[in-house]
Amino acid sequence: MNIINIIRPEIASLAAYHVPDASGFLKLDAMENPYVLPVSLQQELATHLAQVALNRYPIPSYSTLKASIAEKLGVPAGHDIVLGNGSDELISMISVACAKPGAKVLAPVPGFVMYAMSARLAGLEFIGVDLTSDLKLDKQAMLDAIALHRPAITYLAYPNNPTGTLYEADDIVDILGAVGDSGVVVVDEAYQPFAQASFMSRLAEFDHLIVMRTVSKLGLAGIRLGYMAGNNALMTEFEKVRPPYNINVLTQAAAEFVLLHVEVLDAQAADLIVQRAALANAMSELPGVIVYPSSANFLLIRVANAEHVFAKLLEQKILVKNVGKMHNLLENCLRITVSTQAENALFLAALAASLSST
Ligand SMILES: *Cc1c(COP(=O)(O)O)cnc(C)c1O
């Protein structure tokens, strides 16, 4: 067997998505919610899950789950929902559905890596448009690139990962206008619980707008559930790409149950917003640390020597994300998940010690 005779060259040249082993570490690298469900709810959930018919396939319309998402998470009436095994799978479905020969995908960079990855896997060309030096959206560069490339898919993470930036709503509207009827604009609201801003209520204004969300950052990363909503004709096409049983019965049952108690997760998110402000303040008082404004459950900081600080944090059993190599605009940047007050305090002490050791 000869790999290069068989595997597409753009796949063979990729490295597999690497997730570091975090056992024994304070895990501040993946934007997980540090809180779990209250014990009483955990027990009720267990009872609920025990009744699930594991011998049966899921019912692929998922109508109860979709109705519950629409009601509890604010999808406006008249807009169909498509479910994904995490929003990663939704991104992949959109890519596959739009992968006409020569079609292009456009997104600001640095941004969420799966947009480029998924485009590549589907054989689409990815165009990254640099953010400004202060990590804001370069609207003019976006409009120019859209005019030049006529992208089939434009992704806007709202707020953006890994910068935490919440783009101006007016800029997004201008981008929607520039894309016009030659493509879709996906507003990825993975961090919506921490942003208090959304395009969901504006779906009716734009028939090429897709609002994509996930329950991962809200506190259910382990169940793998994402959803997108948009124009019904568009959603009908994406449904054709979706694997019919992509949401397993346990995920379905767990999500339906937790959504009945969504105020618990909302309260956790509200607390993390408070912790985010406290952590941002505390870090900005450390010498040589620049903290970028964030509307997500993480903070991006720039330090003098991120490699060193990252290594020192690892020695202290703390895992953050070193994004310094991701893009030249992120040189010496680290991304830190906002956690509980106690974990943030541990991290802060470790960060201070890392900065002062040279
Ligand atoms: C984390 C993240 C997602 C992925 O969410 P899953 O539902 O866990 O696959 C999507 N978009 C952005 C911008 C993210 O940061």
Side-chain angles (χ1 to χ4, degrees), residues 31 86-88 112 115 157 161 188 190-191 214 216-217 224-226:
M31 284 80 85
S87 36
D88 287 351
F112 187 46
Y115 307 148
N161 171 14
D188 178 353
Y191 299 97
T214 172
S216 294
K217 287 20 187 260
R224 312 303 302 131
L225 180 67

